[in-house]
Amino acid sequence: MKAVILVGGFGTRLRPLTLSIPKPLVEFANKPMILHQIEALKAVGVTEVILAISYRPQVMMSFLEEYESRLGIKITCSQETEPLGTAGPLALAKENLTTTQNDNKPFFVLNSDIICEYPLQEMLEFHNAHGGEASIMVTKVAEPSKYGVVVMDEDTGKVRKFVEKPATFVGNKINAGIYLLNTSVLDRIPLQPTSLERQVFPSIAEEGLLYAMVSEGFWMDVGQPKDYLAGLRLYLDHLRRSSAGSLAAGKNIIGNVLIDESAKIGEGCLIGPDVSVGPGCVIECGVRLSSCTLMKGVRVKNSAYVSGSIIGGHSTIGQSVHISSMAVLGEDVHVNDTMFLNGVVVLPHKEIKTHFVKPEIVM
Ligand code: GDD
Ligand code: MG
């Protein structure tokens, strides 16, 4: 079985993290976002993942080569010369998706910026049972307007209407960005910029061939900083229930905390809840961390405080620094000792030498 991950897009809403690497490679809970997806696909028997990419494929591919052999899965790249939207890339990969070895089996399609429980096995069973042409996973959210909204028949899952980013309330079940499609769907997509959500799904729904499976598990589009941290909280909470042993424990830990085994934690720190500390991080003594992510190779010096913020890889947080309120530091940012940073967004490779008492972008 094959899968397409829609990788394209510039990840503008996750800047400055995406200034150094493509969005799917941004670390989430100590590993690149896309690895969470590739591992889940591998677990249900997917043998080839096609990355549909419209921007900087070399960076992605050289990075993922290592995982091809480590995970034993083929990873290929389908590169657009112009962005083809969410459906066009499937038309571009048509030949690969319909090879005879693939036996016209349905294929998965995933948005690259979502984190969830990936109930893919359940989805395969759901798809095989309904006999329609396409299945989409849906989830319930309180604020549906920034998503694709699905109106469906509760008993059968048949989708009556699919409305992308509705201006007025249509319902609270939204497209979770995971699909299982029959290869016949490819005949509906021209090789030009086309939207699954605005063109393809509404027309399949109209013919009564689109089905939705409601997932009750956690789900988050982590393509924006605030949602990224909310997603981290949900993910860690899920780890607590599914593999509590992978979370940190001890008297200096509060709630759910994930610390990579190669990270070093000094004396007298207080860490948690909802924190991830990435590979190679060094946390000196008396540091306080809560609701934050430290990506790989970050050093936090003595008595610093980081809360509700994202710290890009290889950054250094000086002694007694205070960072809070949704600050996002790009890669390799150096914050001098005792600085106060409130809600700032800092571009990669900057040195911070002054306080920032209100949110702003540091270029
Ligand atoms: N290859 C390629 N080419 N990929 C693309 C392109 C393109 O031109 N444009 C977008 N993508 C990829 C993005 O990288 C992302 O993985 C996915 O398609 C969806 O694009 P987003 O920009 O993240 O869309 P969204 O978050 O506003 O909405 C989508 O996701 C929601 C769930 O998070 C829609 O699918 C909604 O219906 C859905 O509810
Ligand atoms: Mg998105």
Side-chain angles (χ1 to χ4, degrees):
M1 210 178 17
K2 301 196 181 189
V4 178
I5 302 182
L6 295 167
V7 171
F10 295 95
T12 42
R13 290 171 294 185
L14 212 51
R15 277 184 192 156
L17 300 165
T18 45
L19 290 174
S20 326
I21 41 168
K23 178 161 75 170
L25 296 185
V26 170
E27 272 166 73
F28 179 84
N30 298 351
K31 64 180 170 201
M33 255 183 228
I34 201 166
L35 270 195
H36 292 269
Q37 306 186 318
I38 296 177
E39 286 172 2
L41 289 165
K42 161 84 185 165
V44 292
V46 168
T47 51
E48 179 175 351
V49 174
I50 302 164
L51 305 177
I53 198 160
S54 67
Y55 164 74
R56 290 165 75 186
Q58 307 81 354
V59 189
M60 284 291 288
M61 280 319 288
S62 56
F63 177 87
L64 289 167
E65 254 163 36
E66 178 197 337
Y67 290 95
E68 266 200 300
S69 51
R70 217 202 276 179
L71 296 174
I73 189 164
K74 191 168 167 193
I75 303 174
T76 55
C77 208
S78 168
Q79 201 202 340
E80 295 142 60
T81 44
E82 59 162 335
L84 291 176
T86 47
L90 305 181
L92 189 65
K94 185 171 182 176
E95 206 175 306
N96 187 341
L97 291 167
T98 52
T99 49
T100 40
Q101 306 99 289
N102 204 39
D103 234 3
N104 270 335
K105 285 206 198 83
F107 58 93
F108 281 106
V109 178
L110 269 68
N111 285 354
S112 63
D113 53 1
I114 49 140
I115 286 291
C116 66
E117 280 182 35
Y118 302 108
L120 303 180
Q121 187 56 42
E122 209 178 317
M123 213 165 159
L124 278 167
E125 287 156 22
F126 174 78
H127 187 78
N128 291 334
H130 66 58
E133 204 177 340
S135 300
I136 62 181
M137 186 179 124
V138 301
T139 184
K140 289 177 204 143
V141 294
E143 200 359 286
S145 62
K146 59 178 180 179
Y147 303 105
V149 177
V150 171
V151 180
M152 60 191 274
D153 184 341
E154 295 292 330
D155 304 328
T156 62
K158 189 182 272 193
V159 175
R160 279 188 260 132
K161 216 158 68 167
F162 188 107
V163 194
E164 183 64 13
K165 311 218 165 65
T168 54
F169 187 84
V170 192
N172 68 345
K173 288 196 202 70
I174 61 124
N175 169 22
I178 298 185
Y179 323 122
L180 189 57
L181 310 179
N182 284 356
T183 49
S184 59
V185 171
L186 297 169
D187 301 332
R188 298 173 176 270
I189 308 172
L191 185 53
Q192 64 189 49
T194 310
S195 165
L196 274 176
E197 299 87 343
R198 293 182 194 276
Q199 293 158 277
V200 182
F201 290 153
S203 91
I204 306 179
E206 217 159 86
E207 292 172 34
L209 294 170
L210 182 65
Y211 285 79
M213 181 189 93
V214 182
S215 166
E216 302 292 345
F218 85 92
W219 178 90
M220 201 60 158
D221 179 328
V222 294
Q224 305 184 36
K226 194 162 86 30
D227 295 341
Y228 177 104
L229 286 181
L232 180 67
R233 183 174 55 72
L234 297 175
Y235 176 83
L236 295 178
D237 193 49
H238 169 68
L239 273 192
R240 169 70 64 198
R241 283 175 277 119
S242 60
S243 74
S246 57
L247 294 174
K251 63 177 180 0
N252 59 339
I253 302 292
I254 307 174
N256 299 332
V257 173
L258 186 66
I259 298 178
D260 188 88
E261 56 186 21
S262 62
K264 292 193 176 61
I265 310 289
E267 293 291 314
C269 291
L270 189 58
I271 304 179
D274 306 321
V275 171
S276 70
V277 178
C281 285
V282 177
I283 312 298
E284 294 184 0
C285 299
V287 167
R288 174 79 184 104
L289 305 174
S290 75
S291 183
C292 64
T293 282
L294 311 184
M295 294 183 180
K296 62 171 173 281
V298 168
R299 173 178 282 269
V300 184
K301 296 192 179 168
N302 293 326
S303 306
Y305 170 95
V306 183
S307 170
S309 298
I310 303 174
I311 311 297
H314 308 291
S315 293
T316 308
I317 310 301
Q319 191 165 318
S320 302
V321 159
H322 181 114
I323 300 181
S324 64
S325 314
M326 222 37 270
V328 184
L329 273 51
E331 193 184 15
D332 181 41
V333 167
H334 297 274
V335 183
N336 288 0
D337 292 351
T338 71
M339 292 300 112
F340 180 92
L341 304 183
N342 177 23
V344 285
V345 169
V346 186
L347 268 63
H349 315 299
K350 291 282 154 198
E351 185 183 355
I352 301 291
K353 301 183 217 166
T354 53
H355 300 300
F356 286 90
V357 292
K358 42 179 211 299
E360 60 183 283
I361 298 175
V362 184
M363 314 269 266

